[in-house]
Amino acid sequence: QQQVKQSPQSLIVQKGGISIINCAYENTAFDYFPWYQQFPGKGPALLIAIRPDVSEKKEGRFTISFNKSAKQFSLHIMDSQPGDSATYFCAASGGTSYGKLTFGQGTILTVHP
Amino acid sequence: ETGVTQTPRHLVMGMTNKKSLKCEQHLGHNAMYWYKQSAKKPLELMFVYSLEERVENNSVPSRFSPECPNSSHLFLHLHTLQPEDSALYLCASSPDLLRISGANVLTFGAGSRLTVL
C-alpha cells in the first residue's frame, strides 16, 4: 500500500534526446509527488514536484506528467544533457500524520555526449 | 557552512566496533531524519526527530541508536553491526513536520558511506 514502484532501473540516452522515468503508486491518499536528483557523492536534492490537482508541471527542461486515475506519474527530461547524468528518485507523501515521503527505487540516468 | 553536513564521509568498521555518525544542519529546520540508501533499493526511512523528540523509529534494529541533542545536530550511534548494514547513510532536515498531508521538502546531506567488515 505504501510502495512507490519506479522504472526503469537504468536509462541511457543520447545528448539531445528525451529521458522518461515512470513511477506508480497504490496509496490513493498520496497527494504530493516530488522528484529528487542525486549526483555521485552528493545527497538527493529536490528537482520538481506536483500535486494531483494538475496533470502536468513544467520547469525548464523538466516536466512531470500525472495520471491520477492510473495512479502513475512520470518525469520527462527534454533535450537531455550529459550534466543530467544522475540518479533520479520519485517519491510520494500524504495520508499520514506528517507528510512522510515514500521513495521509489531510483533510476540511474546516463546521457552520452 | 550552509546546508546539511555529515561526518565522516567514509567509515570502515568491524562488527565489534562502536562508532558514530554525525549530522549538522545550518538551515534552522526543526525536523531531522536518518535514511539508509542501499543499491537498487528505495531510500529507507530509519528515524525521524522533531524538535529533538523522536517521532518515528521505523523498525530499525537496536544496533542503530539515534541521538538528537538539539534541533541542529543528529547522531547515529553504531554498535555490533552486520555486513548487510553496509550502505550510504543519509541525514536530512525539513522546516517542520507537517501535521497535514502535503509538501515536505527534505534537504539531504552528502551521506556517510559505511562499510562493515
Side-chain angles (χ1 to χ4, degrees):
Chain A
Q1 188 76 4
Q2 290 293 322
Q3 281 187 334
V4 176
K5 296 183 179 179
Q6 183 173 346
S7 63
Q9 255 185 16
S10 61
L11 180 61
I12 298 174
V13 174
Q14 293 296 316
K15 179 182 175 182
I18 302 173
S19 303
I20 302 174
I21 305 171
N22 301 300
C23 284
Y25 63 97
E26 298 171 357
N27 188 345
T28 55
F30 286 152
D31 63 358
Y32 173 67
F33 302 89
W35 285 87
Y36 280 77
Q37 178 189 54
Q38 184 179 26
F39 292 107
K42 304 287 187 183
L46 179 66
L47 180 65
I48 187 173
I50 197 169
R51 291 192 177 272
D53 53 343
V54 296
S55 60
E56 185 175 284
K57 182 174 181 180
K58 184 176 181 179
E59 289 184 4
R61 295 184 294 108
F62 299 90
T63 300
I64 300 179
S65 296
F66 185 81
N67 186 330
K68 188 173 181 178
S69 60
K71 292 186 284 185
Q72 295 175 347
F73 58 110
S74 60
L75 176 69
H76 296 237
I77 306 175
M78 310 301 288
D79 187 26
S80 299
Q81 299 296 312
D84 297 330
S85 298
T87 301
Y88 292 81
F89 294 94
C90 62
S93 70
T96 67
S97 62
Y98 60 86
K100 169 182 169 181
L101 280 173
T102 299
F103 284 89
Q105 299 97 313
T107 296
I108 301 172
L109 172 65
T110 303
V111 181
H112 286 315
Chain B
E1 287 203 45
T2 59
V4 179
T5 304
Q6 290 187 242
T7 55
R9 294 294 308 276
H10 300 272
L11 178 63
V12 179
M13 59 188 289
M15 290 192 288
T16 58
N17 292 157
K18 288 184 180 181
K19 297 285 184 182
S20 295
L21 307 180
K22 179 183 176 182
C23 175
E24 184 174 0
Q25 58 97 359
H26 307 271
L27 300 167
H29 288 170
N30 291 323
M32 297 188 76
Y33 311 76
W34 280 115
Y35 279 85
K36 177 182 179 182
Q37 184 175 12
S38 305
K40 299 180 182 179
K41 287 187 176 181
L43 293 171
E44 299 174 54
L45 179 64
M46 300 176 71
F47 301 103
V48 181
Y49 277 83
S50 175
L51 296 171
E52 301 118 61
E53 177 186 350
R54 190 190 310 178
V55 297
E56 177 151 339
N57 175 347
N58 206 23
S59 303
V60 179
S62 60
R63 58 186 183 268
F64 295 91
S65 175
E67 178 190 1
C68 189
N70 55 62
S71 59
S72 298
H73 293 85
L74 185 65
F75 295 88
L76 188 62
H77 303 298
L78 317 168
H79 63 99
T80 59
L81 295 190
Q82 304 299 310
E84 60 264 29
D85 296 323
S86 298
L88 181 69
Y89 289 86
L90 291 164
C91 173
S93 69
S94 66
D96 286 291
L97 285 185
L98 299 179
R99 294 302 171 183
I100 58 174
S101 64
N104 191 10
V105 179
L106 300 179
T107 301
F108 284 90
S112 294
R113 173 71 62 185
L114 173 66
T115 302
V116 182
L117 302 176

